[in-house]
Amino acid sequence: MADDAWTPTAAHFRAVAVATVLVTAALIWRRPDLLVIGTPFAVVAAWSALTRPTQPPVLVDGFEHSTIREGDATRWRATLTGEVDLVTAAIDHDPWIETRPVRGAVAVAASGDETALSVVTRSMRWGRRTIERVELGASSPWAAFRWATTTPPRHVTTLPLPAVFDVGASPRPPDGLIGLHRSTRGGEGNEFAGIRAFRAGDRMRRINWARSARSEELLVNATWADLDTHVALVLDATDDYGVSDGIDGRASSLDAGVRAAGAIAEHYATRGERVSLRTFGGPVTHSVPPGTGRGQLRRTLDTLADVRPAADGRPLARAGRAAGWRHVSTTGQMTVMLSPLVAPDALDLAMSLGRQGLAVVVIDTLPDHVVVHDDELTSLAWRIRLLERRRELRMVTAAGIPVVRWQGPGSLDQVIRDIARRTTGPRLVRR
């Protein structure tokens, strides 16, 4: 909150006190030398009091961009209008925000009625960042009076920077139109399939008037139905393993999962495929319905920026967690689960989705630098859990669900080719 008036500073009190003491002593003891010394202090104190600002300045501040990508920078700008001599500002420290100047403090001398100052901020990790406050102060000439304020919190959204990803394989036979794929059945679409006789329910715009006039029979243009592949992303937010150093350093398991999900969404959504997102295990379950295009990519990245691991590490109940996928149609869907696979619930969910007839791919996001240093018993328990995890991964792979490590471009090529081969044959689904 801003003060209503300018307040005297310690420098002003000091000048008044020194001038009073020296002038009084000079008059009492008749010391002209003390009068000479005290006169400048008296002049400065009187001048400061006469030129004291009467109205508080007007502050307008904000960030140039409220939404940025990891590693990108934005600028906090402020404009102070009023009678000021010097303006200072300092931004609260945030571990994931780099500032320039380094300490986030800046001072600008006023050159007119308006004084502008700015601080460059660079976000190092995805998520919602809140700049709690910016402490800003202004001083009058000779620093005699000061006006201070604290700005309200400002929110900056940092979207995850998708990892480099590309895939050359198709999850379905390459007979598609929408996105990378086209349906092999007739229906409403854009691709011409032939000419047939008019039937009840056909739209007037489908009528081929030229052929109808020659054949004396009402004919319509038949088309192939538009169909695309639905890539369902399932992100495990049960816990975050490893160390996160931001965009320029090591990545934790949740960093790898979020960036990989963003990369897959960017690859498919911008090529016309439908992409959806669902998280599980965290304090809040996030969901993005299927969609395509740049708008869908932005919605997916915005949702990924809100992902938080569970505070106590406990995943959601198994029944409630799996219920969200029971209504999903299996036609043309490929489910990609991203998880560190430490908690067995993630693999249980993958097996459950596989039994529903979905094509499931599990991406292992556990980083290599996870090391437990607490004590010997904790380290031993962690090694035992990794051995159990290795056995569980073999069981899941034997059940027909591939588990691959995320390695960027080409990580899913062979797996998707295998899925495409399996989709051409009959499939056993447990009801």
Side-chain angles (χ1 to χ4, degrees), residues 362-375:
V362 179
I363 296 180
D364 184 5
T365 61
L366 186 69
D368 297 330
H369 64 266
V370 178
V371 180
V372 179
H373 294 291
D374 293 344
D375 53 60

Side-chain angles (χ1 to χ4, degrees), residues 220-243:
V220 297
N221 295 326
T223 57
W224 296 110
D226 293 346
L227 184 67
D228 57 0
T229 296
H230 175 196
V231 180
L233 301 175
V234 182
L235 179 63
D236 183 2
T238 303
D239 208 339
D240 192 11
Y241 299 95
V243 178

Side-chain angles (χ1 to χ4, degrees), residues 163-168 263-264 267 405-414:
V164 179
F165 175 70
D166 191 15
V167 60
I264 297 174
H267 175 79
R405 295 281 296 178
W406 177 255
Q407 297 176 349
S411 298
L412 305 181
D413 277 357
Q414 185 58 44

